[in-house]
């Protein structure tokens, strides 16, 4: 089997209203679909959830030329070959070794995103070629995994405690755990939001706080001590982006709530330092943002060896296969309680993993089990 073509489809769709995390606004959903075609008619589908989209798409097209003619089942070989473009190498100057010249330093995050989409599509091909879903290709027999629903995004001018009713609505849908966006308002207001959600969902539902890196160490300690009585499962990305594993260690020693981190990291080398620090209870690497399924599996194996639970960020239709593969070493896969937060997924994909009764249920369809509605893809194509 050989790769004959790599296609990229940039998709976008406006939200009904602008929503905020503590860090940034979102006026539209974006998803970059990667399609890898083979000479045997098997097509692999991957997705990328970060940008800038135009740069990422250009890189996918360039990398597609590098892997054309290779066996798509040689996933690790392809990953390493592409990754080698990110650094200087003997004979690599000017592309003299047959690969593109070393990548400009300022494109490394976008490159890791492009690599993610290609790698996920290769795993989809591998499953389809073997006639197995990816989780069974990995040796797992676990057909469902625990999940939680994320919500509580900020709306300018909206009532600050509306999040309580929203997350209680997720519980009414069957979720046994919910995650609240937090960190954008004053410390007192954020404590009030978390308290309102806890009162609305009751004591038997797990509650996580998704913070998007709003605090320095001292402020985060103050916040953590205020919300500790609310039985919080984790503080996710609690510290400013520039703070290091040693700072997470300082925080972990000062508070009783476990820490989660990893979705914004590009690769196993930085995630590994956070795991090795002992500060994290949960690692949340997102294979659709950076590095792909292969890198997520490498990180998962390292986390498992260190006793850190695996909790992949977003895209449950893909990452639930990772959670299944690691069994008790995985905590959960993330879902959205409100499908309007991921409107593209629900328009272009059919089949695959579904969530009900607080769990993501995997199918026996080969690969990731996703069928693409190409008419919807054409309708959502981003001309930019």
């Amino acid at each position: 089997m050989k790769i004959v073509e790599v296609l990229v489809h940039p998709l976008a769709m406006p939200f009904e209203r602008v929503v905020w995390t503590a860090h940034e606004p979102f006026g539209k959903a974006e998803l970059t679909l990667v399609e890898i075609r083979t000479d045997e008619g098997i097509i692999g589908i991957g997705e990328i959830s970060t940008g800038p989209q135009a740069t990422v798409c250009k890189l996918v097209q360039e990398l597609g030329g590098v892997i054309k003619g290779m066996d798509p089942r040689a996933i690790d070989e392809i990953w390493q070959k592409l990754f080698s473009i990110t650094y200087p190498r003997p004979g690599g100057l000017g592309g003299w070794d047959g690969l593109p010249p070393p990548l400009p330093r300022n494109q490394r995050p976008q490159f890791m995103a492009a690599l993610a989409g290609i790698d996920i599509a290769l795993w989809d091909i591998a499953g389809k070629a073997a006639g197995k879903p990816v989780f069974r290709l990995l040796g797992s027999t676990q057909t469902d995994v625990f999940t939680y629903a994320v919500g509580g995004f900020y709306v300018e001018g909206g009532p600050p405690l509306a999040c309580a009713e929203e997350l209680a609505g997720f519980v009414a849908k069957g979720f046994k755990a919910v995650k609240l966006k937090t960190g954008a308002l004053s410390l007192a207001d954020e404590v009030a939001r978390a308290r309102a959600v806890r009162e609305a969902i009751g004591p038997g539902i797990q509650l996580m706080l998704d913070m998007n890196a709003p605090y320095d160490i001292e402020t985060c300690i103050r916040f953590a001590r205020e919300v500790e009585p609310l039985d919080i499962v984790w503080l996710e990305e609690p510290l400013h982006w520039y703070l290091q594993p040693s700072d997470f260690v300082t925080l972990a020693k000062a508070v009783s709530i476990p820490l989660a981190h990893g979705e914004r990291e590009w690769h196993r080398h930085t995630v590994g330092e956070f795991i090795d620090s002992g500060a994290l209870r949960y690692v949340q690497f997102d294979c659709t943002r950076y590095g792909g399924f292969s890198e997520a599996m490498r990180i998962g194996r390292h986390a498992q060896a260190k006793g850190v639970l695996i909790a992949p960020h977003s895209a449950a239709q893909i990452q639930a296969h990772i959670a299944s593969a690691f069994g008790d070493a995985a905590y959960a896969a993330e879902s959205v309680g409100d499908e309007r937060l991921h409107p593209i997924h629900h328009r272009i994909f059919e089949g695959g993993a579904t969530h009900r009764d607080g769990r993501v249920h995997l199918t026996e369809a080969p690969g990731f089990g996703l069928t693409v509605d190409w008419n919807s893809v054409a309708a959502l194509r981003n001309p930019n």
Side-chain angles (χ1 to χ4, degrees), residues 354-366:
T354 58
H355 63 72
R356 65 179 184 274
D357 302 324
R359 302 190 72 81
V360 173
H361 296 263
L362 299 165
T363 74
E364 296 296 334

Side-chain angles (χ1 to χ4, degrees), residues 147-151 167 170 175 177-180 208 334-338:
T147 190
Y148 61 88
V150 59
L167 270 64
F170 300 165
F175 286 100
V178 294
K179 185 168 76 174
L180 172 68
M208 292 80 81
E334 182 183 86
S335 297
V336 293
D338 186 344

Side-chain angles (χ1 to χ4, degrees), residues 95-146:
W96 300 331
D97 60 356
L99 293 174
L103 184 78
R105 300 176 191 183
N106 63 354
Q107 290 187 10
R108 286 171 182 163
Q110 295 79 41
F111 182 97
M112 295 303 291
L115 177 55
I118 289 171
D119 183 79
I120 291 168
L122 294 177
W123 277 95
D124 193 38
I125 290 172
K128 290 172 178 175
K132 297 179 179 180
V134 171
F135 75 94
R136 292 203 184 276
L137 199 66
L138 296 169
S140 176
T141 60
Q142 186 175 336
T143 57
D144 60 277
V145 299
F146 188 64

Side-chain angles (χ1 to χ4, degrees), residues 185-242:
L185 307 180
S186 71
L187 191 147
D189 285 339
E190 291 299 350
V191 172
R193 292 174 80 245
R195 183 178 297 115
V197 169
R198 171 52 75 196
E199 291 173 354
I201 65 176
I205 301 298
Q206 296 184 32
L207 174 60
M208 292 80 81
L209 299 182
D210 187 359
M211 302 170 69
N212 296 113
Y215 295 139
D216 58 30
I217 295 172
E218 291 304 317
T219 306
C220 194
I221 291 172
R222 288 170 49 213
F223 174 75
R225 290 178 177 169
E226 290 286 337
V227 298
E228 278 172 349
L230 303 178
D231 190 19
I232 305 300
V233 174
W234 72 47
L235 302 178
E236 177 177 336
E237 291 193 315
L239 298 178
H240 291 320
W241 67 270
Y242 54 83

